[in-house]
Amino acid sequence: MAETTTGIRGLYVELIEDGFEVFLNRVPILRHTIQSPMLFIGQGEETIEMYRGNFDIKDYVIERTPLRYTNIEGNDNVYRIDFAKFENGKVALSLVIKEEDKRLKVEYKKMDSSINRFWLRIAADKKEKVYGCGEQLSYFNLRGKNFPLWTSEPGVGRNKKTHVTWQADVLDRAGGDYYNTNFPQPTFISTKKYYCHVETTAYADFDFRNDDFHELQIWEVPEYMLFETAATYVELVEKITNLFGRQPELPDWVYNGVVLGIQGGTSVVEEKLAKALGKGMKISGVWCQDWQGKRITSFGKRLMWNWKWNENEYPGLDKKIPEWKENGIRFLGYINPYVAIEGHLFKEANEYGYLALNAEGETYFVDFGEFHCGVVDFTNEEACKWYKQVIKENMIDFGLDGWMADFGEYLPTDVVLKNGVDAKVMHNAWPTMWAKINYEAVSEAGKLGEVVYFMRAGYTGVQKYCTLLWGGDQSVDWSLDDGLASVIPAALSSGMIGCGLHHSDIGGYTSLHGNKRSKELLMRWAEMGTFTPMMRTHEGNRPDDCFQFDDDDESLEHLARMTNIYVTLAPYTKAIVKENAESGIPVQRPLFMHYEEDEKAYDIQYQYLFGKDLLIAPVHQENQTEWEVYLPKDRWIHVWSGEEYNGGTITVQAPIGYPPVFYRENSEWKELFSQLVQI
C-alpha cells in the first residue's frame, strides 16, 4: 500500500505547488495540478442504434475542456473544491470531498446545465493492476485496455479477429468485442487495495491504458463517487458487499446434483431422466425453458414469451412437477421482462397501460429476432405489482422451484417510460430493476431460500437481488473470448465486485456460423461446472447441431461421475456459499485473494480457487491429455494422483474425467477431498 510522509490515516488533502493531492488511509487517490488537471468537462452528441440487443454507439465530442484552476476551502473532515476553466474565472463545477462511513465520498455539482460529458483522472502507477467493472469475459486484469460500460448482448465470438465474429458482424450485426458484457458496473478494484465506485447509470468508459492515471469518462456529471481501502483483498470484497448487499445462500436441493436442461415436452423429460438416472447420475432438477411453449426462427429454437404453462407442449405437467419433486427432482422454467404480442399477458399489460411507449405515445415494440414484444415498464409501480403477481401465480404457485430470469439488457434508448427519465439513463439501471422484481416476488411468496433464479444481466445493486449469476450465451467452442475459457474471468471479475455465486451453461449455448458443440467440449465444460456453485446443462440454441449429454454412454457416464463428485463436495460448497452470503467473499476466487505476496498470481485468469482450499485449473483447449498449472507457494495435493507439490509451474496428467484439481494439504476439509479419488 502506497504511503506518504504524513503518516495520516483517513482523509487527507495535501496542498502541492499549483494543486493538491487527496489521500485515503495513505493511499493516493486524486492528484491535480494546473499542468495536469484531474477534471475535464464538455459536451457531446451521441448516436445509439440497437439491433436485437446489440448496440452501435458513436459519440461526437463537441467540446472537452480541462478545469485547471481551483479554490479549496475546508478542514480535515470536509473540503469544498471549486473548479474553473480560467484563473479567477467562473466556477464550472464544484465538488465536496469528505469522509463518510470510513469511505472517501466525492460529491459533484455542475454549474452549467449544458455539460453532458465528464472525465476524471484517478492517480495510478505503472505496476498497478485493476479488476472488476462488472462481469468481464476477455480480461481479468483490466490494465492496458478501456472498457465501455453499457449492458448489452455480449456478441457472438467477441473477438474481431475470428471468423465467427466476422460472420456474426456481416450477417447479424452481432459480433461483439472484448468489452461487451451483459453485466457492466462502474466499480473497479486496484492492487493499491482500494475500490472506486461511481454512482451513475449513464454510459461510461473506464480507461486503464495510462501509466500515471485511470481516466473515467461518463455521459453526465455523476452524483457522487466512493473510495474505500482495506488491508487485504478479502477485507476489500467484504467492504464492497457491505455497500452493495450480498446474495442469499442457495437452496439445499441445489447440491443434490446437476440441473438438466431439457426441452421438448413431458415425455422427452421422462425419457431423458430415466436414461440419466439409470447411469447413476445425481440430478437435483430439470430445467425446461420451453415450459410455456416455443417457436422456431432462423436463429434456432426460441421460446414463446407468454409466461404460463403450455399444456400442449407439456401435457400433465401440473401432476408431474409434484411427482418429480417427491423423488428429489425440482422443476425450473424461464421468464424475462418482455411479453410477446401473441400472448394473453401482452393484451392484459397493454390494456392496463403497463407497457413502455414510443415517442408518439403508442406501445413500443422490440424486435427480438423475427418476433416482437412489449416492454413491461418497471418505472410504473402498478406494472411491477402486476408482473410480480405473474411470477407468483404462474410460476411459484404452479410448483416451479427456479427459473432463468433472462435478458434485462435490451431496454431501447428511444423508449418512453412512465417516470419520464431519459431511457439512455435508465438503460443500465434496467437489469437491477428486473432482478428486484424477481427478488420481491420470491420474498413476498415466502420462498427466499427455496427458489433459485439465475440471471445474466446486471449493474450496480444487482448483488442483493440476484440469487445466482450465469455467464450468458457463450459459443460452443474453445475460443478464449467467447468459449469455455471465458467463463473463468467472468466469474472472477463479477466476484470481485460482489456477485460471488456464478455458473455457466455446461457446453455453451450459441451455435452459429459453423460452430457445433463437440463431445469433448461438453465433457470438459462439465468438469469445470462440477467446481462451481451449481451444475446446469443447456441444449443450446440449435440442439441438433450440438452434442448432448445423453448422445452416447460415455458422455452419460462421464456426467454421472462428475455429478457424484459435485454431490460429494456439497458440505464444502455449502460452507463457502454461506461465507459469500455472510461476508461477500466469492465462491470462485482469484489466486491472489489468498496469496497476496505471489506476484504471478495477479495475472492468472484461467485458474481459480474454489473457496480457500481447492485450486481448479480447467482444461479449456481441445485434444489435451496433460495440462500446465501454476500453484502459489503452499503444500498442494493433486486429487487424482495424491502427489504433493509446494508451488510453481507444473505439468500434470489431465485426461477427460480428471481435470487438474488440487487441495491444500493442511485444509480442515482434507478428509472430504481425499474421497474424490474413489469416485
Side-chain angles (χ1 to χ4, degrees), residues 650-679:
I650 63 168
T651 299
V652 294
Q653 295 300 303
I656 288 178
Y658 298 88
V661 178
F662 303 80
Y663 64 86
R664 292 196 313 114
E665 198 277 335
N666 63 348
S667 169
E668 63 181 290
W669 298 93
K670 178 180 178 179
E671 186 176 338
L672 176 68
F673 299 149
S674 65
Q675 296 173 24
L676 300 182
V677 72
Q678 302 167 17
I679 298 173

Side-chain angles (χ1 to χ4, degrees), residues 38-312:
M38 73 177 210
L39 273 175
F40 298 75
I41 57 171
Q43 298 176 37
E45 291 180 356
E46 71 278 356
T47 57
I48 302 176
E49 294 183 6
M50 183 184 83
Y51 182 71
R52 299 176 181 175
N54 300 279
F55 290 82
D56 182 14
I57 302 175
K58 293 183 174 65
D59 189 29
Y60 177 68
V61 177
I62 300 168
E63 179 183 29
R64 172 181 159 121
T65 304
L67 300 181
R68 298 184 184 277
Y69 297 94
T70 62
N71 181 63
I72 303 177
E73 297 179 355
N75 53 38
D76 290 342
N77 297 314
V78 180
Y79 296 85
R80 177 190 170 97
I81 307 177
D82 293 331
F83 286 81
K85 301 176 185 179
F86 309 105
E87 190 170 9
N88 301 318
K90 183 180 179 181
V91 175
L93 187 145
S94 289
L95 60 84
V96 173
I97 299 176
K98 58 185 175 181
E99 190 172 350
E100 185 175 284
D101 298 325
K102 297 184 179 180
R103 304 182 185 110
L104 171 62
K105 186 174 187 179
V106 184
E107 299 174 335
Y108 297 93
K109 182 178 181 181
K110 65 180 180 179
M111 305 305 180
D112 181 350
S113 61
S114 68
I115 298 170
N116 66 358
R117 295 292 182 271
F118 171 94
W119 295 263
L120 173 74
R121 292 180 175 179
I122 295 172
D125 64 56
K126 193 172 183 177
K127 293 183 179 180
E128 183 182 0
K129 300 179 190 296
V130 170
Y131 308 94
C133 283
E135 180 189 54
Q136 297 294 334
L137 296 93
S138 290
Y139 298 97
F140 180 42
N141 175 17
L142 309 182
R143 210 73 160 97
K145 295 283 185 181
N146 69 298
F147 292 84
L149 301 177
W150 182 260
T151 180
S152 71
E153 284 278 10
V156 178
R158 302 184 67 259
N159 186 324
K160 297 303 185 187
K161 296 179 180 179
T162 64
H163 174 80
V164 168
T165 304
W166 171 63
Q167 286 287 283
D169 275 333
V170 171
L171 301 176
D172 310 316
R173 298 165 59 185
D177 212 333
Y178 71 88
Y179 54 81
N180 291 120
T181 175
N182 305 111
F183 178 7
Q185 185 171 314
T187 309
F188 70 85
I189 293 89
S190 164
T191 50
K192 292 182 178 181
K193 292 183 184 168
Y194 74 83
Y195 72 78
C196 166
H197 171 66
V198 182
E199 188 61 25
T200 183
T201 57
Y203 178 93
D205 189 334
F206 283 18
D207 190 341
F208 303 109
R209 290 175 291 186
N210 295 283
D211 287 347
D212 301 328
F213 59 84
H214 311 311
E215 184 165 271
L216 315 184
Q217 177 191 173
I218 303 148
W219 287 5
E220 68 172 3
V221 175
E223 184 180 349
Y224 61 85
M225 296 173 63
L226 294 174
F227 299 85
E228 193 168 10
T229 68
T232 67
Y233 295 108
V234 168
E235 184 185 349
L236 194 59
V237 295
E238 287 187 73
K239 290 184 174 183
I240 287 171
T241 52
N242 281 338
L243 177 63
F244 298 129
R246 296 180 178 130
Q247 297 164 291
E249 292 180 65
L250 293 171
D252 281 346
W253 61 262
V254 167
Y255 306 105
N256 293 336
V258 66
V259 175
L260 290 176
I262 303 173
Q263 299 183 80
T266 312
S267 61
V268 174
V269 174
E270 291 272 68
E271 178 186 339
K272 287 179 177 285
L273 275 177
K275 190 188 292 188
L277 291 169
K279 290 291 186 180
M281 192 179 297
K282 297 291 193 296
I283 303 171
S284 63
V286 289
W287 171 54
C288 301
Q289 61 173 3
D290 62 342
W291 73 288
Q292 77 293 321
K294 66 176 183 292
R295 66 173 91 223
I296 304 297
T297 71
S298 62
F299 182 77
K301 286 185 179 180
R302 302 295 299 274
L303 306 178
M304 183 59 65
W305 294 5
N306 188 54
W307 317 117
K308 187 177 181 180
W309 167 40
N310 186 305
E311 298 184 47
N312 294 324

Side-chain angles (χ1 to χ4, degrees), residues 337-354:
Y338 310 98
V339 284
I341 59 175
E342 305 96 328
H344 80 284
L345 289 176
F346 172 86
K347 294 179 177 62
E348 190 174 326
N350 206 32
E351 178 183 347
Y352 288 109
Y354 294 158

Side-chain angles (χ1 to χ4, degrees), residues 453-524:
Y453 53 90
F454 40 99
M455 309 184 65
R456 68 177 189 175
Y459 198 72
T460 303
V462 77
Q463 290 85 346
K464 61 189 172 191
Y465 298 127
C466 175
T467 57
L468 179 64
L469 276 181
W470 108 89
D473 295 344
Q474 279 74 42
S475 291
V476 292
D477 64 17
W478 305 93
S479 65
L480 293 179
D481 292 278
D482 198 34
L484 167 61
S486 68
V487 174
I488 305 170
L492 296 179
S493 57
S494 55
M496 290 296 286
I497 52 93
C499 276
L501 301 180
H502 192 283
H503 78 304
S504 61
D505 298 332
I506 290 177
Y509 171 77
T510 303
S511 181
L512 290 173
H513 311 301
N515 268 356
K516 296 184 179 182
R517 181 198 293 157
S518 68
K519 174 180 174 180
E520 183 186 3
L521 179 75
L522 180 65
M523 295 169 82
R524 288 300 195 188

